[in-house]
Amino acid sequence: MLFPKDGGCVLYNPKEGTFQRKLGDFSGCRFLANSGNWLLLLDSGSNLYIVDAFSEKKIRLPSLESIDSADCIVKCVGDRKFIRQDSDSIFSDLSADVVRGLLWVSESGKEYVVVWLFDLPGHSYMSFCKNGDTHYTDIPLFHHQDLHWLDGLSEMVLWGTRLYLSTNRRYVRVLDLSGPQGFFKDITDGIPFPMLSADMSCDSSIAVTTSGQVLLVESDPCNRTCFRLYKKNPDIENPDLFGHTVTEVDSLNGEALLLDLGYTVPANKALGIEPDSIYFTRHYRPCQCASPDLDICVFNLATKSLDRYPDLDKMDLIDARWFLPSGN
């Protein structure tokens, strides 16, 4: 899915090297996330909604100001400008331009989860809603002083109704968002575990496999010709004593990783989805205070080979996302 600077959205088939179709008119909108056929959009009026890329069916979402909280308000104070005030602080000069989001929609299209935040350093909350909710529920990103290792946000993945959060110190929490409106539950298995590799200079993302295993994905920002994949080191009982807590793996067990989505999918030869391959456009997608350059490529873990798409070099793109339509 390609987003040229002159607007619009184009589907590209890398297997055939063809541009298949243009999608609907989404002028003035920012594309925040995708799930199956569905796109999460923020329009020029700072309204969030979900739209089916093919049928253009829309699901309107609560306004960004619809936060149900006893001690916090979000208020629009101008054209795409917001403030957020809670009992401890005021975040002013918030802009719709720094809103980031995640989306999950069920195969039937009847269930969905939307997560969004103002992506600024030190911001204290993210918010979410599900189908049927009339407002957003806050998730605090900072905690009691004794739990400082759970503070902040470096990465996040939405896998169904489970939200995986990597904190500033790379500890991974798992939240279940499937409960009634206004509630979520921390279902982290035991004490949160940090995903720390030996090379902290690499760009990185977390991802989740179909079995729920968390992976760390790294690449060299100066020479992106190779990707490394890590899993939790099961032999480390007290990760606080180690600066390197993961062990490298060389396979996705026959699956493929669509890093834009943050999770693995079954390989599919008919669709050109190769096993043990990482489909990449950029790191830091949901938490990008700065926007790294696009690098549309596929890395095969088995052969250590990297494929790029020269057909796209002539296009003036502002964004691109790997896109797997529903039903595949």
Side-chain angles (χ1 to χ4, degrees):
M1 183 180 291
L2 308 173
F3 303 95
K5 282 187 178 179
D6 59 3
C9 178
V10 180
L11 292 186
Y12 174 74
N13 187 328
K15 181 181 179 182
E16 300 175 358
T18 57
F19 297 92
Q20 293 191 327
R21 62 179 293 182
K22 288 187 176 181
L23 300 182
D25 180 12
F26 302 118
S27 57
C29 294
R30 287 181 53 227
F31 294 79
L32 303 185
N34 58 291
S35 175
N37 295 349
W38 296 87
L39 309 175
L40 176 62
L41 304 180
L42 183 72
D43 68 16
S44 57
S46 302
N47 301 301
L48 274 177
Y49 62 93
I50 307 170
V51 61
D52 186 302
F54 299 117
S55 71
E56 299 190 33
K57 174 185 176 182
K58 288 185 179 180
I59 301 174
R60 298 197 177 276
L61 300 170
S63 72
L64 299 183
E65 300 168 278
S66 298
I67 307 290
D68 185 31
S69 174
D71 59 357
C72 175
I73 61 168
V74 174
K75 184 177 180 181
C76 182
V77 293
D79 183 24
R80 300 173 62 80
K81 300 295 184 182
F82 295 83
I83 62 170
R84 179 165 190 143
Q85 181 176 357
D86 58 35
S87 57
D88 298 321
S89 58
I90 297 178
F91 291 88
S92 58
D93 297 325
L94 299 175
S95 169
D97 295 333
V98 297
V99 169
R100 312 296 178 199
L102 296 177
L103 172 68
W104 171 78
V105 181
S106 66
E107 285 286 335
S108 67
K110 296 180 180 179
E111 297 178 84
Y112 63 82
V113 180
V114 171
V115 178
W116 70 272
L117 75 158
F118 290 108
D119 188 18
L120 292 173
H123 195 61
S124 301
Y125 295 92
M126 64 173 56
S127 305
F128 77 95
C129 75
K130 307 184 301 298
N131 47 290
D133 288 357
T134 57
H135 56 260
Y136 297 102
T137 298
D138 271 345
I139 299 173
L141 298 177
F142 288 85
H143 304 268
H144 190 274
Q145 186 175 359
D146 292 342
L147 300 176
H148 59 86
W149 37 278
L150 292 181
D151 286 347
L153 178 69
S154 63
E155 302 287 343
M156 61 182 184
V157 171
L158 183 61
W159 186 57
T161 58
R162 293 189 175 187
L163 179 63
Y164 291 74
L165 302 178
S166 177
T167 70
N168 287 342
R169 294 181 62 182
R170 304 296 178 88
Y171 284 80
V172 177
R173 303 168 60 203
V174 186
L175 305 182
D176 181 0
L177 309 183
S178 65
Q181 179 171 264
F183 293 90
F184 61 90
K185 183 179 180 180
D186 192 322
I187 58 169
T188 308
D189 184 15
I191 298 174
F193 193 90
M195 300 292 286
L196 300 172
S197 74
D199 190 352
M200 297 300 290
S201 65
C202 286
D203 285 343
S204 66
S205 301
I206 61 168
V208 181
T209 68
T210 55
S211 64
Q213 182 182 46
V214 178
L215 301 175
L216 177 68
V217 186
E218 289 189 340
S219 64
D220 185 343
C222 299
N223 183 23
R224 206 180 311 279
T225 58
C226 184
F227 288 76
R228 289 187 172 88
L229 198 64
Y230 302 90
K231 67 177 182 179
K232 172 183 174 180
N233 188 337
D235 297 327
I236 293 180
E237 296 183 0
N238 187 351
D240 292 336
L241 302 179
F242 294 84
H244 181 201
T245 63
V246 293
T247 183
E248 189 168 1
V249 296
D250 57 8
S251 169
L252 286 165
N253 295 321
E255 296 182 334
L257 172 57
L258 303 184
L259 200 58
D260 291 338
L261 300 179
Y263 49 80
T264 62
V265 298
N268 188 317
K269 188 174 182 179
L271 295 175
I273 302 175
E274 298 294 332
D276 297 309
S277 295
I278 299 173
Y279 290 76
F280 180 82
T281 58
R282 60 170 45 142
H283 287 289
Y284 311 122
R285 180 167 292 283
C287 308
Q288 50 188 35
C289 295
S291 297
D293 292 335
L294 280 174
D295 189 359
I296 305 170
C297 59
V298 180
F299 181 75
N300 187 286
L301 289 162
T303 63
K304 306 299 181 186
S305 60
L306 186 76
D307 290 330
R308 289 192 168 91
Y309 302 95
D311 293 346
L312 307 182
D313 292 343
K314 299 177 182 178
M315 299 186 68
D316 194 10
L317 299 174
I318 58 172
D319 202 359
R321 294 173 181 272
W322 289 101
F323 176 68
L324 183 62
S326 301
N328 293 306

